[in-house]
Amino acid sequence: MNDHTMNKKAFLIFKSSLSVLDALTDEQAGKLFKAIRAWQEGTLIESDLDQLTALLFVPFREQFKYNDERYSEAIKSNQ
């Protein structure tokens, strides 16, 4: 992550991506959300995730990367 994305106060999660929660236990959902928070704070070490959480985290991570790139591009174009 770059300086712009680290200073963001919010991030986007699409409601459609949350349908995965229906198939998870509360414990599994909690692990996933803690991984999402750690990613956003820049503290996630993906190798520390259990196999299921790592697998479920991938689409969120890729969407966050895409959103961060778009945000950075918007910042640059507004300067």
Side-chain angles (χ1 to χ4, degrees):
M1 287 187 209
N2 61 42
D3 292 337
H4 296 299
T5 57
M6 290 299 292
N7 293 326
K8 288 182 3 180
K9 295 182 189 247
F11 64 95
L12 181 65
I13 295 181
F14 292 97
K15 287 170 49 175
S16 61
S17 64
L18 296 177
S19 62
V20 69
L21 299 176
D22 296 336
L24 301 178
T25 65
D26 289 347
E27 181 180 351
Q28 292 167 327
K31 287 180 180 181
L32 178 59
F33 267 94
K34 284 187 174 189
I36 289 169
R37 182 186 74 184
W39 171 266
Q40 293 298 326
E41 294 176 343
T43 61
L44 180 66
I45 300 172
E46 290 187 51
S47 61
D48 289 345
L49 298 177
D50 64 79
Q51 188 175 13
L52 177 63
T53 306
L55 178 66
L56 294 173
F57 180 70
V58 169
F60 288 95
R61 181 192 67 210
E62 295 307 308
Q63 186 64 51
F64 296 147
K65 285 181 180 180
Y66 174 78
N67 292 344
D68 289 346
E69 288 171 12
R70 299 281 306 221
Y71 181 76
S72 292
E73 290 170 8
I75 294 292
K76 287 178 187 176
S77 70
N78 289 335
Q79 290 178 342

